[in-house]
Amino acid sequence: MRRHLGALMHLGLDYFHLGRWEDAAELAAEGLALCENHDYRFFAWYFHYIQAAVAAAQGDAETSAALTEEIVRWAMPRGTYGARFFACHARALAALGSGDFETAYQHACTLSPPGTVAPYVPIAMWGTMDLVEAALRTGREKEAAAHAAAMRASSMAALSPRLEMLVLACEALTTPGWPGLALFEQALSLSAPERWPFDVARVRLFYGERLRRLRATALSRDQLVQALEAFQRLGAKPWVARTAVELRASGQSAPADVRPGPVALTAQELQIARLAATGLTNKQIAERLMLSHRTIGTHLYQIYPKLGITSRAALRDALSELDARSADGR
């Protein structure tokens, strides 16, 4: 029975990385049933992790949160601290999808501190790109660069092509401007990238964002379209929405069924957005609201996708449109 459970664990995780998310969820459900029927409850947390990771990637943050809470609630009193790292990985992934980069950073740091690929924590390698992205999105460029350097200094790139791709992608993310483009190309040219469609689509999204900011618009669209198609096939809804925003910013309309619709802002988000639209800096907004400038930056990163924009310059028009919709009762 233990061998059977072990096979289900490894195969379910493999299916997650292969983008076979429905199969991964089914295997996890089968494993949980066996754990319950044969009283192997110790192994249940691993199957909960697979379910939580699938839910996080698909944008079902509520389900993912409930599953990771179940893992932590069971593991901590029993001293099974390794299970907590798996919960942190799923939580970071869910936060990234929802645009909560500060929360994603905190969970990723619990998994492995910035500048260190935590030894004896294999899952720390899986969350490296999560930490680097979250660090960059929250203005922590030094921490992101330190983590990319630690990844290169470790042996993880030699362990598998997928991990090598993560190393190269993180080096690309932390190498500003045009020099980073060659690293993105190198990351995407490794053998059989289709084996890890979610990871590859994320790298293409990052690459497309960089190209667009460097005004290589046609090349940007090519990467973004490929990322969008992959996220659509996977059912990775939050990543579809993020990519659609970038694609629209490049001048190409996303398909109607994936265009981000109007999303209500919280009262605080609306206040921050209105202040930013007047031209105030993050520091000035922070002083008015008695928050840190980093918190303001994190809020703005969450606000942009909700409004279907990618920059501060577009805030005024987006807020005017939001006001018009509210006045029309839409």
Side-chain angles (χ1 to χ4, degrees):
M1 180 57 64
R2 289 192 180 186
R3 288 183 181 180
H4 185 45
L5 285 172
L8 288 174
M9 290 177 189
H10 292 299
L11 191 57
L13 181 60
D14 194 40
Y15 279 174
F16 174 74
H17 291 307
L18 289 171
R20 297 174 58 177
W21 291 348
E22 289 186 8
D23 293 332
E26 287 180 7
L27 288 179
E30 181 183 343
L32 286 169
L34 288 173
C35 288
E36 181 66 27
N37 293 337
H38 297 276
D39 203 26
Y40 280 104
R41 296 179 184 177
F42 175 84
F43 300 101
W45 68 264
Y46 199 99
F47 296 115
H48 281 141
Y49 161 71
I50 294 172
Q51 292 178 326
V54 171
Q58 291 181 326
D60 188 352
E62 185 176 348
T63 296
S64 186
L67 289 163
T68 55
E69 180 60 32
E70 177 67 21
I71 292 171
V72 173
R73 185 168 53 245
W74 179 88
M76 297 308 289
R78 294 168 174 80
T80 313
Y81 299 112
R84 178 170 174 249
F85 292 129
F86 284 78
C88 285
H89 180 248
R91 286 172 169 176
L93 189 58
L96 284 173
S98 66
D100 187 353
F101 299 111
E102 181 63 33
T103 297
Y105 181 77
Q106 298 304 326
H107 287 312
C109 287
T110 300
L111 185 60
S112 184
T116 303
V117 180
Y120 312 113
V121 184
I123 197 174
M125 294 185 287
W126 305 350
T128 46
M129 192 162 68
D130 301 339
L131 190 151
V132 171
E133 181 191 2
L136 290 172
R137 303 283 188 186
T138 56
R140 296 177 170 95
E141 289 82 4
K142 290 183 179 179
E143 288 86 344
H147 209 61
M151 292 165 66
R152 173 56 65 188
S154 73
S155 60
M156 63 178 284
L159 296 177
S160 76
R162 175 175 172 265
L163 293 177
E164 184 180 5
M165 181 182 68
L166 297 186
V167 172
L168 288 165
C170 289
E171 289 178 327
L173 282 167
T174 55
T175 301
W178 292 94
L181 299 184
L183 291 166
F184 278 120
E185 283 290 342
Q186 194 175 347
L188 293 169
S189 66
L190 296 175
S191 61
E194 67 279 358
R195 282 183 52 82
W196 322 288
F198 183 55
D199 295 313
V200 170
R202 288 180 65 185
V203 175
R204 289 195 186 281
L205 171 58
F206 301 148
Y207 190 14
E209 288 174 338
R210 176 70 62 83
L211 287 165
R212 187 181 70 78
R213 283 156 179 73
L214 294 173
R215 302 186 185 280
T217 308
L219 293 173
S220 170
R221 289 172 185 164
D222 179 59
Q223 294 298 326
L224 293 172
V225 166
Q226 291 185 68
L228 181 65
E229 291 173 349
F231 288 138
Q232 284 181 291
R233 287 193 299 270
L234 291 165
K237 294 178 182 179
W239 301 86
V240 167
R242 281 181 56 180
T243 311
V245 170
E246 278 294 322
L247 194 57
R248 188 171 70 175
S250 76
Q252 179 171 324
S253 296
D257 60 337
V258 298
R259 290 175 194 163
V263 178
L265 302 181
T266 67
Q268 186 177 58
E269 286 174 338
L270 188 58
Q271 185 180 26
I272 290 170
R274 293 197 186 285
L275 290 172
T278 67
L280 294 179
T281 65
N282 287 6
K283 183 178 180 181
Q284 290 169 328
I285 297 170
E287 290 172 351
R288 287 198 182 194
L289 302 182
M290 293 184 290
L291 299 169
S292 72
H293 73 278
R294 182 167 286 163
T295 297
I296 300 301
T298 298
H299 276 298
L300 286 171
Y301 269 120
Q302 296 173 37
I303 290 166
Y304 294 162
K306 288 186 177 184
L307 294 177
I309 61 176
T310 60
S311 69
R312 201 185 202 95
L315 268 174
R316 182 172 296 180
D317 289 342
L319 289 172
S320 296
E321 183 179 345
L322 187 66
D323 289 340
R325 288 179 182 274
S326 297
D328 291 341
R330 287 184 283 171

